[in-house]
Amino acid sequence: MVEADKELTSAVEDYLKSVYAIEVEGGRATTSALAERMSVSAPSATAMMKRLDELGLVERAPYHGVTLTKKGRLCALEVLRHHRLLELYLADSLGMSLDEVHAEADRLEHVLSENLEARIDAALGYPTHDPHGDPIPDSSLRIPASTSRSLVDLDLGDTATVARVPDGDAALLRYLSEIAIVPGQELELVKAAPFGGPLTVRTGTGEHAIARELAATVGIESSLSTDA
Amino acid sequence: MVEADKELTSAVEDYLKSVYAIEVEGGRATTSALAERMSVSAPSATAMMKRLDELGLVERAPYHGVTLTKKGRLCALEVLRHHRLLELYLADSLGMSLDEVHAEADRLEHVLSENLEARIDAALGYPTHDPHGDPIPDSSLRIPASTSRSLVDLDLGDTATVARVPDGDAALLRYLSEIAIVPGQELELVKAAPFGGPLTVRTGTGEHAIARELAATVGIESSLSTDA
DNA sequence: GATGATGTTTAGCCACTACTAATTCCCAAT
DNA sequence: ATTGGGAATTAGTAGTGGCTAAACATCATC
């Protein structure tokens, strides 16, 4: 804690988000992985990782990628909290659709004051999950464990409730919304093609075949209580 | 219309706001006026005015200041619309106080999509004035004429309704709120010290003497109809 | 009409964030 | 143990937006 917390630029925050996301997915945050995710060239990613290292936000091993420091992880979680609170607020309070909220939140997240963050949090009743089903870090930046089961874990005939859909791809989210695969909706696995083929699910809008890789990104929880 | 509308940076938008504000106040947008208002050095202001000129946003006469082009005025009005819609939304829908909304809106205004702007506009019922009483440009960027009478135009014993308070100075707004000089409140002029001295007004919280220069920035309208 | 105060611009600099081209490193395969 | 290919880094450049110091216009005053 030698230095006071300086304001981070939007670019720094965006890179931190990417490093965090890669770590959560279990990968090592390499230059190429970062560059890919941020849609920048490899040298740009290298330069930024040097800066993050100097800022004490990551631990950098040249040629071997970076890992978040405690400080870096907290900054990433703060931005993630902003992002997910905003997504939920835009969806619930302003009626934006699932596929629109991500891009908007991506810009707003960097200019949200702590004051406004707290007001939004309160207005939403201190929510724990965003509209895609992803967990929202609380005000102490603790984050609930996310659902571990996905659509591919269902057996034929099983029913479940959608708990999470992947964020960030607007076209994909529009498609999933069309076929009623959105958090809270019930569905049933009715067919599973062999050899890694598509899964067919029955939703409120009928039966739909979706690729197995896509199904793996759809989180579910058991439809335990249909009753109150 | 040679070039497509490129995205303007936040800095460009901020300078446009300042040029607009200076023009509305009837002044010429000189380098020093801009530098003062933006809290930057004179050379920084000169450099930016060159850029705005190249972008076709202002007409620049070296050593004599700039004037907004039609395109520049529309950009300024667009940002102003964002700013004032946000101020009203933050105050009305999220309970922020009059002195807090300006700083927050100053950051959010640059990252508001047209989609979100429209949703906020609708949620507020297509308002015409922000919480400080300043007019909000409509979706075609037409702006209602603002109140022309101020507190200094009152005669002794007159009552009026506060229509506008100056935006941007949080400490001043906290003070005005304390003494109940906020848009919508009634007041009466009870004393006017000679030789440009302070005016004393009776508000909901008692009698308060305020400097004549401050009084000149408080817009009023006649309290015509106290009845329904 | 010359002059000097004031305001404006130029010159040269720095930080941030991106890029391409060229180089260097690492590791796996021979 | 060497080598080749892919990944990462360095080198050099560009645009944005800020700064100080120095040079230059403008205009009111004499």
Side-chain angles (χ1 to χ4, degrees):
Chain A
M1 302 299 150
V2 185
E3 328 196 349
D5 284 343
K6 277 194 304 186
E7 287 304 312
L8 302 178
T9 64
S10 296
V12 166
E13 289 182 349
D14 282 336
Y15 277 94
L16 283 176
K17 271 202 305 179
S18 287
V19 176
Y20 179 84
I22 291 170
E23 288 190 357
V24 164
E25 291 168 13
R28 187 155 188 82
T30 62
T31 296
S32 46
L34 260 316
E36 159 85 25
R37 207 175 271 259
M38 295 288 300
S39 302
V40 298
S41 67
S44 299
T46 295
M48 183 56 94
M49 288 310 106
K50 275 190 194 169
R51 260 172 55 63
L52 295 192
D53 190 14
E54 281 159 17
L55 290 169
L57 297 167
V58 302
E59 201 74 42
R60 182 170 114 98
Y63 293 97
H64 295 283
V66 299
T67 49
L68 288 172
T69 62
K70 180 162 208 136
K71 185 177 166 193
R73 182 162 39 254
L74 289 176
C75 290
L77 284 169
E78 178 69 27
V79 179
L80 202 60
R81 173 168 162 79
H82 285 185
H83 183 90
R84 292 182 175 168
L85 278 175
L86 282 164
E87 284 195 341
L88 187 60
Y89 189 81
L90 293 171
D92 279 16
S93 299
L94 284 161
M96 287 185 88
S97 62
L98 255 197
D99 62 290
E100 294 175 320
V101 294
H102 180 79
E104 197 79 35
D106 255 359
R107 295 194 310 276
L108 292 170
E109 64 190 5
H110 303 297
V111 295
L112 195 64
S113 71
E114 290 305 289
N115 180 2
L116 183 50
E117 172 198 312
R119 285 179 192 274
I120 288 175
D121 194 23
L124 293 171
Y126 309 100
T128 59
H129 290 79
D130 77 10
H132 305 91
D134 289 315
I136 301 173
D138 68 18
S139 59
S140 305
L141 302 182
R142 275 184 289 266
I143 189 167
S146 41
T147 316
S148 47
R149 293 180 67 219
S150 84
L151 251 182
V152 298
D153 298 321
L154 287 180
D155 293 320
L156 281 187
D158 281 356
T159 64
T161 302
V162 176
R164 180 190 177 273
V165 292
D167 192 6
D169 183 335
L172 175 58
L173 283 169
R174 275 194 295 278
Y175 169 64
L176 290 175
S177 294
E178 265 170 34
I179 63 176
I181 297 185
V182 292
Q185 291 292 311
E186 290 239 334
L187 51 69
E188 176 190 348
L189 182 64
V190 296
K191 201 180 332 180
F195 305 111
L199 303 184
T200 303
V201 295
R202 185 184 349 268
T203 70
T205 59
E207 294 194 1
H208 309 281
I210 62 174
R212 208 169 276 257
E213 303 77 46
L214 174 54
T217 68
V218 176
I220 56 161
E221 45 190 36
S222 309
S223 306
L224 296 172
S225 49
T226 323
D227 51 341
Chain B
M1 299 301 149
V2 186
E3 327 197 347
D5 283 344
K6 277 193 304 187
E7 287 304 313
L8 302 178
T9 63
S10 296
V12 167
E13 290 182 349
D14 283 336
Y15 277 95
L16 284 176
K17 271 201 305 179
S18 287
V19 176
Y20 179 84
I22 290 170
E23 289 191 357
V24 164
E25 289 168 14
R28 187 155 189 82
T30 62
T31 297
S32 47
L34 261 315
E36 158 85 26
R37 207 175 271 258
M38 296 288 300
S39 302
V40 298
S41 68
S44 298
T46 294
M48 184 55 94
M49 288 310 106
K50 275 191 193 168
R51 259 171 57 61
L52 294 192
D53 190 14
E54 281 158 16
L55 290 169
L57 298 166
V58 303
E59 201 74 44
R60 183 171 112 97
Y63 292 98
H64 295 283
V66 298
T67 49
L68 287 172
T69 61
K70 181 161 204 135
K71 185 176 165 192
R73 184 163 37 255
L74 289 176
C75 290
L77 283 169
E78 177 70 28
V79 180
L80 202 60
R81 173 167 162 81
H82 285 186
H83 183 90
R84 292 182 176 167
L85 277 176
L86 282 164
E87 284 195 342
L88 187 60
Y89 188 81
L90 293 171
D92 279 16
S93 299
L94 284 161
M96 287 185 89
S97 61
L98 255 196
D99 61 290
E100 293 175 319
V101 294
H102 180 79
E104 197 80 34
D106 255 359
R107 294 194 309 275
L108 293 169
E109 64 190 6
H110 304 296
V111 295
L112 196 62
S113 70
E114 291 304 289
N115 180 3
L116 182 51
E117 172 198 313
R119 286 178 191 275
I120 288 175
D121 194 23
L124 293 170
Y126 309 100
T128 59
H129 290 78
D130 78 8
H132 305 91
D134 289 315
I136 301 173
D138 69 18
S139 60
S140 305
L141 302 182
R142 274 184 290 267
I143 189 167
S146 40
T147 315
S148 48
R149 294 179 66 219
S150 83
L151 251 182
V152 298
D153 299 320
L154 288 180
D155 294 320
L156 280 187
D158 282 356
T159 63
T161 303
V162 176
R164 179 190 177 272
V165 293
D167 192 7
D169 184 336
L172 175 59
L173 284 169
R174 275 193 295 279
Y175 169 64
L176 289 175
S177 294
E178 265 170 34
I179 63 177
I181 297 186
V182 293
Q185 291 292 308
E186 290 239 334
L187 51 69
E188 176 192 348
L189 182 63
V190 296
K191 201 182 328 182
F195 304 111
L199 303 183
T200 303
V201 295
R202 185 186 348 269
T203 70
T205 59
E207 295 193 0
H208 309 280
I210 61 173
R212 207 169 276 257
E213 302 80 47
L214 174 55
T217 68
V218 176
I220 56 161
E221 45 191 35
S222 310
S223 307
L224 295 171
S225 50
T226 324
D227 52 339

